[in-house]
Amino acid sequence: MASTAQSFVGVVLVISLLLFAADSKTLKRDVKALNEIKASLGWRVVYAWVGDDPCGDGDLPPWSGVTCSVQGDYRVVTELEVYAVSIVGPFPTAVTNLLDLTRLDLHNNKLTGPIPPQIGRLRHLQILNLRWNKLQDAIPPEIGELKRLTHLHLSFNGFKGEIPKELAYLPELRYLYLHENRFVGRIPAELGTLPNLRHLDVGNNHLVGTIRELIRIEGSFPALRNLYLNNNFFTGGIPAQLANLTNLEILYLSYNKMSGTIPAGLAHIPRLTYLYLDHNQFTGRIPDAFYKHSLLKEMYIEGNGFRPGVNPIGLHNVLEVSDTDFLF
C-alpha cells in the first residue's frame, strides 16, 4: 500500500509541475527580446512564431526553435535554434538579452556584420554555433566572458584579425572550430592552458608561426585529441616536444611551409591515428616506428622532399568532420 501511495504522490507531483509550467508566465525580458528579433530580421520562421508568448500560450505551442524552462515563478528561454533557413541581416543584438540561454544555434544562414560585444552577457551559454554565415570583423574579446562555453563553432565565415587570447579564459571549452576564415597572426599559446580542449581546428586561414611557439607553455594541451593546422603559413619543424601531447589522435599539417625531419618520438604518441604531412618542405626519412604503430591508419607525405623509398600509410582522404559529431 505504501508503494502505491508513493507512486500516486509522484504522479500528482509531476502533473502539478507540468501544470505550473504551463501556467507560468514567460519573463517579459525574453518576450521582448524575441519580438525584437522577429521584427528586425523578418525571419522565415515567423510563420511558426505565432501567439504572444514564445514559450507557448494556452493551445499554442512554443515558437519554432525556442526552448523554455521554468525558473522560479517564470519561464525563461534557454535554447534558441534557428538554422538553415536563410536568415538575412546583421547578427541580432537582441539575442544577447536572453540571459538564460545555454544554447544558441544560428548556423547555415546569411547573417552579416560582427558578433556584438554584448555576447559576453550570455554567462550561461554552453554551445554557440554560428558556422556557415557571412559574419565578419574580429571576434570580440568579450567572448572570454562565456565561462561555461564548451562548444564554439565559428567556421565558414569571414572573421579576420587575430585569434583573441581571451579564448584561453574559457575553462570548460572542449571544441573550438575557427577554420575557413581570414584570421592572421599567431595562435595564442595561451590556448594550451585550456584543460578540457579536445578539438582545435584553425585550418584554411592566414596564420603564421611555428608549432614550437604554440606549445611553448609547459603542459600544453593536456586533453587535445585533434589538431588541425592545415592550409596556413606555418613554418619551422615538428618539435620533439609535440610527443608530450599524449592524447593526440589527429595531426593535420597539410599545405603549410614547414620543414625539417620528422622526429621519431612522434611515433610513440599512443593514440595517433591520422598524420597528414603533405605539401610542406619536410626532408629525410620517416622513422621505422611509424610503420609499426598499431593505430596509425593514414600517413600522407606527398609534396615534400623525403628521400626515395619513403612510403605513405593507408589511403589519403581529406578529413571532414561534421560539427554535429561534437555537439553533445
Side-chain angles (χ1 to χ4, degrees):
M1 290 293 292
S3 177
T4 302
Q6 289 174 349
S7 299
F8 176 75
V9 171
V11 170
V12 170
L13 181 59
V14 169
I15 292 174
S16 299
L17 289 172
L18 290 173
L19 290 173
F20 175 74
D23 291 338
S24 299
K25 293 183 179 294
T26 301
L27 200 63
K28 288 183 179 180
R29 176 202 68 199
D30 290 4
V31 175
K32 182 175 184 289
L34 280 166
N35 275 299
E36 286 180 10
I37 294 165
K38 179 179 177 180
S40 66
L41 292 185
W43 286 4
R44 288 174 54 183
V45 295
V46 295
Y47 69 88
W49 283 19
V50 294
D52 297 327
D53 193 333
C55 294
D57 186 8
D59 295 328
L60 293 174
W63 290 2
S64 176
V66 175
T67 300
C68 302
S69 300
V70 175
Q71 211 175 80
D73 295 331
Y74 293 93
R75 291 182 295 181
V76 296
V77 176
T78 53
E79 297 183 9
L80 181 59
E81 300 177 87
V82 187
Y83 50 84
V85 289
S86 296
I87 299 169
V88 178
F91 184 96
T93 304
V95 165
T96 64
N97 293 325
L98 298 171
L99 300 183
D100 295 288
L101 276 184
T102 61
R103 178 194 293 259
L104 177 59
D105 188 348
L106 304 177
H107 83 266
N108 202 6
N109 285 296
K110 297 178 181 178
L111 293 173
T112 57
I115 296 176
Q118 295 95 319
I119 195 73
R121 302 177 67 204
L122 302 180
R123 302 297 175 88
H124 297 281
L125 203 61
Q126 297 173 21
I127 296 174
L128 177 58
N129 189 355
L130 301 176
R131 70 183 181 97
W132 283 109
N133 276 286
K134 298 179 182 296
L135 295 166
Q136 299 170 324
D137 295 342
I139 298 176
E142 289 80 3
I143 203 91
E145 297 172 14
L146 307 179
K147 303 301 183 185
R148 299 186 184 182
L149 203 65
T150 61
H151 297 67
L152 181 56
H153 302 258
L154 301 180
S155 51
F156 297 100
N157 277 285
F159 291 114
K160 58 186 181 181
E162 296 190 352
I163 296 172
K165 66 179 184 303
E166 286 80 5
L167 291 174
Y169 302 161
L170 305 177
E172 302 299 323
L173 194 62
R174 299 179 183 179
Y175 300 99
L176 178 56
Y177 287 84
L178 301 176
H179 63 275
E180 289 281 354
N181 280 287
R182 300 174 184 172
F183 291 115
V184 297
R186 288 168 164 76
I187 305 172
E190 290 85 353
L191 294 185
T193 64
L194 291 170
N196 297 300
L197 189 64
R198 301 177 185 176
H199 186 100
L200 174 59
D201 188 347
V202 297
N204 291 86
N205 280 286
H206 306 290
L207 298 168
V208 298
T210 67
I211 293 181
R212 187 177 300 278
E213 293 170 336
L214 178 61
I215 62 171
R216 70 174 185 266
I217 298 174
E218 187 175 354
S220 286
F221 299 103
L224 196 65
R225 298 178 184 176
N226 308 322
L227 178 58
Y228 288 65
L229 303 178
N230 56 291
N231 296 80
N232 280 287
F233 298 97
F234 290 103
T235 55
I238 300 177
Q241 294 90 331
L242 190 62
N244 293 332
L245 277 61
T246 55
N247 290 306
L248 205 61
E249 298 175 8
I250 297 172
L251 180 59
Y252 203 171
L253 304 178
S254 306
Y255 290 94
N256 278 288
K257 297 181 180 297
M258 300 184 67
S259 58
T261 58
I262 309 302
L266 205 64
H268 299 295
I269 298 177
R271 300 179 182 178
L272 190 63
T273 308
Y274 298 97
L275 176 60
Y276 292 91
L277 305 172
D278 57 289
H279 297 94
N280 279 283
Q281 299 165 18
F282 294 120
T283 56
R285 296 189 180 278
I286 300 290
D288 290 340
F290 283 95
Y291 297 97
K292 298 175 182 178
H293 197 294
S294 60
L295 293 182
L296 190 59
K297 293 181 179 179
E298 291 185 15
M299 180 177 67
Y300 203 60
I301 60 175
E302 183 183 84
N304 283 289
F306 290 118
R307 293 183 183 180
V310 171
N311 297 314
I313 295 173
L315 298 174
H316 175 62
N317 294 303
V318 174
L319 287 178
E320 293 292 344
V321 185
S322 169
D323 283 357
T324 57
D325 294 336
F326 298 104
L327 283 179
F328 303 102

